[in-house]
Amino acid sequence: MENSPVKTQKTELVRVRHLVKHFPVENSNDVVRAVDDVSFDIFAGETLGLVGESGCGKSTVGRCLLRLYEPTSGDVFFEGQNIVGLPNNQMQILRREMQIIFQDPYASLNPRLSILSTVSEPLKIHGIGNKTEREERVADLLKKVGLDPAYMFRYPHEFSGGQRQRIGIARALALNPKLIIADEPVSALDVSIQAQVVNLLQDLQSEFGLTYLFISHGLAVVEHISKRVAVMYLGKIVEISEGRELYDNPLHPYTRALLSAIPVPDPKKKRERIVLQGDVPTPINPPSGCRFRTRCPLAIEDCAKVVPELREIETDHFAACIRVKGYETAPSLERQ
């Protein structure tokens, strides 16, 4: 592309290529195509937001990155090492570098374990420190997430939702990971508490040099925290871009529809809504060609025949849509 700025060198922490995860349907030969040929990169120290409607496969992607779900096929590289198919003993060592924050802070905590036992459990599993050292580490972690260290002797039911999520964050930090999968970490919280938790995650990222995959269906939250954003629809990533660029210049029609639904905090301004027709197709039998074509206002006959790949339409701005200007001559993500 002419007059394109020179790209700054980034350190790649995670590389995902052609990731597929299918779930068998009970008493049937069908499969749920939760994730179907997904490719993207996460760079060290950044936050990549992953957004889309409920059921599009966002959380499945996050769990496949940690191999909480075994991928059906594809490759997941962490610091250059392909972790797909890695033996369990090697994977356990690697998991010190990658942790997860779950959506439901109460369900992710064992109600029979004290906070001390919960947060120190990763340290025990990996043989780090003695009892006194682990207790000191838990006290330090609770302070880092804004809780009183004396709370370590309490149990999950004694805390609010926001406090429980802070405990989940402390547990994720226990092993000093490089990558944290934040799986809708604020969606179960009140709006005011959401802001506190997002700000905490940003502060911790600055302090510890963390890298986040931030999964959410809340575009306003993702805009606030993410350096780059990937948009997912029915098991496919349809657009990836720098956050500000994506919000100012969305290329894919699905992204435009999502952004048009964000409320404008000004009663004098109105955003033109793009109302999509029809329902989201089933991932058991998705449409041929482009999966969004059955709801897309720009769809043409070729959209049913061509499976669009992610291509760099503008500098660092990728989209998977044959109707986007410049798509035919743009390089694909696979060539990066």
Side-chain angles (χ1 to χ4, degrees):
M1 187 176 291
E2 293 183 4
N3 300 322
S4 296
V6 177
K7 295 183 182 180
T8 56
Q9 189 66 33
K10 302 174 183 177
T11 303
E12 183 182 87
L13 184 68
V14 176
R15 171 181 285 250
V16 178
R17 289 295 178 268
H18 305 296
L19 181 65
V20 174
K21 180 58 182 177
H22 294 168
F23 294 97
V25 178
E26 190 174 359
N27 300 322
S28 171
N29 292 325
D30 292 329
V31 294
V32 176
R33 302 173 183 274
V35 178
D36 223 3
D37 197 10
V38 162
S39 299
F40 61 92
D41 303 319
I42 307 176
F43 300 104
E46 77 164 352
T47 298
L48 175 67
L50 183 59
V51 301
E53 294 170 291
S54 295
C56 71
K58 307 183 300 295
S59 294
T60 302
V61 168
R63 283 164 167 74
C64 285
L65 261 61
L66 300 177
R67 278 189 52 200
L68 299 180
Y69 292 157
E70 289 293 340
T72 302
S73 64
D75 298 305
V76 178
F77 296 91
F78 182 82
E79 294 189 316
Q81 180 181 16
N82 193 347
I83 67 172
V84 175
L86 208 62
N88 288 336
N89 58 339
Q90 295 183 39
M91 194 63 213
Q92 181 172 332
I93 296 171
L94 192 59
R95 283 204 175 101
R96 293 181 61 167
E97 308 289 349
M98 41 187 16
Q99 294 291 307
I100 186 169
I101 302 168
F102 294 97
Q103 177 178 359
D104 187 339
Y106 190 67
S108 67
L109 301 175
N110 189 329
R112 298 188 177 187
L113 293 183
S114 68
I115 303 312
L116 172 60
S117 297
T118 295
V119 178
S120 65
E121 188 172 19
L123 303 172
K124 288 182 181 178
I125 290 172
H126 291 273
I128 299 174
N130 56 37
K131 183 178 179 180
T132 302
E133 290 169 338
R134 288 195 291 265
E135 188 170 319
E136 291 174 352
R137 174 66 173 157
V138 172
D140 182 59
L141 287 167
L142 291 180
K143 281 193 279 188
K144 292 289 186 188
V145 299
L147 295 176
D148 189 332
Y151 290 174
M152 73 172 73
F153 302 107
R154 298 184 182 181
Y155 289 81
H157 71 273
E158 300 179 75
F159 296 92
S160 68
Q163 288 174 321
R164 286 195 284 261
Q165 195 59 290
R166 288 172 186 266
I167 294 165
I169 294 170
R171 179 176 57 186
L173 290 173
L175 297 171
N176 291 318
K178 295 178 180 176
L179 172 69
I180 291 182
I181 308 295
D183 186 8
E184 303 209 37
V186 298
S187 63
L189 307 177
D190 293 339
V191 174
S192 60
I193 305 302
Q194 286 183 13
Q196 293 176 20
V197 172
V198 168
N199 289 336
L200 171 63
L201 290 172
Q202 290 181 308
D203 291 343
L204 293 170
Q205 183 176 40
S206 298
E207 183 175 353
F208 297 107
L210 299 169
T211 302
Y212 294 138
L213 174 64
F214 191 92
I215 299 168
S216 178
H217 60 262
L219 285 164
V221 175
V222 169
E223 180 181 15
H224 181 68
I225 193 172
S226 300
K227 171 69 174 174
R228 290 189 305 131
V229 179
V231 181
M232 198 166 178
Y233 180 82
L234 201 62
K236 297 270 193 181
I237 289 181
V238 298
E239 188 164 359
I240 303 176
S241 173
E242 297 288 327
R244 189 70 269 152
E245 166 68 12
L246 184 104
Y247 284 81
D248 290 343
N249 180 34
L251 298 178
H252 198 281
Y254 177 63
T255 307
R256 292 177 192 152
L258 285 181
L259 293 175
S260 75
I262 299 176
V264 179
D266 185 342
K268 297 181 181 179
K269 293 183 180 180
K270 291 186 178 180
R271 192 192 304 270
E272 183 180 350
R273 283 293 308 273
I274 300 174
V275 180
L276 299 176
Q277 303 299 316
D279 297 323
V280 179
T282 172
I284 297 176
N285 185 27
S288 62
C290 174
R291 294 191 174 184
F292 184 59
R293 67 176 175 80
T294 57
R295 304 173 72 198
C296 180
L298 304 179
I300 58 176
E301 186 176 343
D302 283 349
C303 294
K305 304 172 185 177
V306 179
V307 179
E309 60 181 347
L310 275 172
R311 293 190 179 181
E312 190 175 21
I313 310 302
E314 300 176 6
T315 303
D316 290 331
H317 194 159
F318 299 81
C321 176
I322 64 173
R323 299 302 311 278
V324 173
K325 184 178 180 181
Y327 176 84
E328 292 297 329
T329 57
S332 73
L333 178 66
E334 303 305 316
R335 300 176 208 162
Q336 300 297 307

